[in-house]
Amino acid sequence: FSWRRHPSIARLKQALPSRPTEPPDETIHPSATTTMSAAAMTSRAAFARAAPSSAKPFAHSKLAAARPKRRAGVNTLVVRAEAATEEKPASGETYEYQAEVNRLLDLIVNSLYSNRDVFLRELVSNASDALDKLRFTSVSNPDVMADNGDMKMQIKGDPASKTLVIEDTGIGMTRDDLVSSLGTIARSGTAKFMEMLQSQSEGDNLIGKFGVGFYSAFLVADKITVVTKNHADDEAWVWESEINSSSYSIREASDEDAPPARGTKIVLSLKEGAEEFAEDARLTNLVKTYSEFISFPIEVFATKQVPKQVEDVDATAKATEEYDKKKIEAEAKGEEFTDAAPEPVMKTEYEDVQEFVVTNNDKPIWVRSPRDVEADAYNEFFKSTFKEFMDPLAYNHFAVEGDIEFRSILYVPGMAPFEQQDVMAKSKAIKLYVRRVFISDEFDESLLPRYLTFVRGVVDSNDLPLNVSREILQESRVVRVMRKRLVRKTLDMLKDIAGRDNGDYDAFWDAFGRNLKLGVIEDAANRDTLGSLLRFQTSKTEAGELKGLDAYIESMPEGQPDIYYVAADTRAAAENSPFLEQLAKKGYEVLFMIDPIDEVAMANLTQYKEKKLVDISKEDLNLGDEDEDEKKRQTEVEEEMKPLTDFLQETLGAGKVEKVAVSKRLTDTPCILVTSKFGWSANMERIMKAQAMGDNRAQEYMKGKKTMEINPSSPVILDLNARLAAGDAAGAVATAELLFDAALLNSGFAIDEPAAFAAKIFDLMGQNVGDAPGGDAPEAHPEEPEDETTKTEAKPDAVDPEVV
């Protein structure tokens, strides 16, 4: 049976242009497996979406994702080359997907790597894998180390030829390895090797578990040449491929290829615009950034200044001249001259020498046992890594083992960095490593919540892929578990600082107190823990002295039902607030919320250790249990003042106050305005009005409804009640409006019509100096000349101003 004779295939063949001729025997087309990672599958989906939606199945197009290829004698539908199959009826036909590999490879690489700097990280990680494999193999077969006992990597750039060479002395590859590992996209040689080490826990230290890292080299190179020699193979092999090519070639290495005795050499022909990656300074910086803690030495061919001794010609000539002068003088005097001739004077000069220099550091501090690390070592690591100049307030070095494994060191800085002024700014506080390979420092919000961005630290995971992206972090269960542990360890550090007797926590609170208040708002799961770390000034503390909620509860007098707080601009404004009068009389302590974020934080905390947090500027304030006599007396006062409260309610109207009530919280002030429980307080209303991008519509329905509370024992209120009872309605109305405006100011609100309020004050002042409202000013009489009679008459007594 020939597929060429089948009618449907013949018609399809006619519709397609002729295919290019097959490449030579040793030019091999890579097979693109569809069992890729999640990121690679995403790339393939994006590639498929790029095809026109109207295209018919298997229609020829530059963007077509696949083309059918008949394979006779097999009754299965192949989902990938040499991959999973789906059974079809016996009469069915089998086709194999043929992807345009160069397009697929371009999409995979460019979707996984947004920063081309990481290509060196990927190739160094692959080299580290090869060295790891050699080390494991040498345990059972020491002969593999016979040719070369060194285990290292070497990186050399040549700006002249625009090439970059990465060479390792690892296990190397055979021809079959080249075909299976480099010829199959998204196939991980390390992952396959780890399957062979199922019973060996050491295999978890291997780095490259993702099969497209090698192809990231195409980000900077238009041609890749791999020269490799495996210890078990007598021949060395060369693998070559170019960008935008769907094939690669394999041949035996010649002397011109300079094959290594064992290991792999990768030669990158850098594309235009990537010449910087041949410079030794750039390569050294990349190694230090991404691969500093790889466990094998990484040598970069770099320029190094070497001291050498050379003759100082001028100094030697001067010494010789002095010697000759002395000799001539001695001979002229007839004296014997026995001084030795001067030696050449030497000086030190520095010569630029290019040689391989070890660039990466020793074993990273976080993989060592905390028992083996001194405090000074932690402090030095903190200062050098995060560019700090003060020792940290605290650090926590820990390892998590089990289903998810990672190591971490977290630090609490001794002072706030400048970028902490903007909480939304990227702080680059947490450096993420995967098996000692640096990945990124831009995943702060994935590893720690926003309010903990002041924390510095490193996290080294064994369970994340090297090509980890923000999307992978957001969806990863590993990251969610890591985030929980990091938050808990950080809060443990803060509790430890808070428990110290010195001033460490005061210094921390001055620098990062607002961050914890933000945490109370955003982190519902840890509100109780964060609540114990909050500090405030109170009505019973000195200015500047802070008190926590635990200490507040311990000092609460018997009978106090709740935790009370009041919000204001300053401590002075809070101390003079009329809302404190009855609370101070009862001996209750009040927290002062003088930071704009304080009131929002308290509104989210709501309660702490079964004690409600109550804003004393809101309605229905609970001052404790009342006995029967107090309740009876309150009822009688309310009945007595009912005509006045009704009058004030009617006079002011619903637009100004929702209701008027007799107050329990006032002792001296005539009246105040309190807001409803679920609306903005006066302080919050003022803050929200000041927002440049505030929503005016939200302000209208978020404003708290105002209730006017009057003090039944105030002389002003008693006088107003008497005037109302005497029928002086006009005077009572004017007094009521003035009382309302004064209560607005005293309660922290802004007056809508300040000019009208000022006119009322001026009118009242005019009445107090005897000027009737709206009346004419008294006439001015010209002075008359004084006579003797006037001088002798007695002057009238001076008028007392208070009588006026």
Side-chain angles (χ1 to χ4, degrees), residues 365-408:
I365 188 174
W366 62 82
V367 302
R368 296 158 59 186
S369 171
R371 295 189 299 270
D372 301 334
V373 184
E374 300 292 335
D376 290 341
Y378 285 117
N379 294 341
E380 287 303 317
F381 178 77
F382 170 72
K383 292 176 183 177
S384 62
T385 304
F386 301 104
K387 307 300 183 289
E388 297 279 350
F389 60 89
M390 291 181 61
D391 288 342
L393 288 175
Y395 58 83
N396 196 341
H397 182 187
F398 61 94
V400 175
E401 297 179 351
D403 293 341
I404 295 172
E405 296 185 1
F406 69 93
R407 292 177 173 270
S408 178

Side-chain angles (χ1 to χ4, degrees), residues 67 183 239 470 493 512 540 579 601:
R67 176 180 294 157
W239 181 98
R470 191 173 302 279
M493 274 196 298
F512 308 111
K540 292 187 177 181
F579 300 107

Side-chain angles (χ1 to χ4, degrees), residues 435-449:
R435 303 170 197 88
R436 304 186 188 183
V437 178
F438 176 68
I439 302 300
S440 177
D441 55 5
E442 296 183 354
F443 295 150
D444 291 352
E445 292 186 18
S446 299
L447 297 171
L448 281 176

Side-chain angles (χ1 to χ4, degrees), residues 347-358:
K347 65 179 181 179
T348 302
E349 288 186 351
Y350 290 89
E351 181 182 22
D352 288 341
V353 176
Q354 286 193 313
E355 60 182 20
F356 284 103
V357 180
V358 177

Side-chain angles (χ1 to χ4, degrees), residues 153-196:
M153 293 166 254
Q154 291 185 329
I155 302 173
K156 181 178 180 180
D158 187 352
S161 61
K162 296 201 301 184
T163 59
L164 174 62
V165 178
I166 298 100
E167 185 173 357
D168 66 74
T169 59
I171 198 164
M173 289 180 281
T174 63
R175 181 186 180 283
D176 292 339
D177 291 336
L178 289 172
V179 174
S180 61
S181 295
L182 301 188
T184 304
I185 300 172
R187 179 187 178 110
S188 172
T190 303
K192 183 178 179 182
F193 181 74
M194 287 185 64
E195 293 173 4
M196 300 169 59

